Amino acid sequence: MAKLTRRGFIAMTAATGVARSLPAISTRVGGRRILTLVYDKSLGMMRAVERLVP
């Protein structure tokens, strides 16, 4: 796994979120996605947790 700085991780997460949401904008039926950054001790780095809230 590549070593990422906090700034690089946030940039990568934002880019992933944009790429994931672009196709879904036209087919969205309801609810919204909430992206939360959490520190995972087992990985030793931050990771993104995505939830769908109606």
Side-chain angles (χ1 to χ4, degrees), residues 16-38:
T16 303
V18 169
R20 184 178 291 177
S21 66
L22 282 178
I25 288 174
S26 61
T27 61
R28 183 179 242 177
V29 290
R32 64 183 204 188
R33 295 178 187 262
I34 296 188
L35 185 67
T36 307
L37 297 176
V38 295

Side-chain angles (χ1 to χ4, degrees), residues 4-18 35-38 45-48:
L4 294 173
T5 62
R6 184 175 294 168
R7 183 179 292 169
F9 178 79
I10 291 172
M12 180 186 66
T13 304
T16 303
V18 169
L35 185 67
T36 307
L37 297 176
V38 295
M45 62 185 287
M46 295 182 78
R47 67 182 179 95

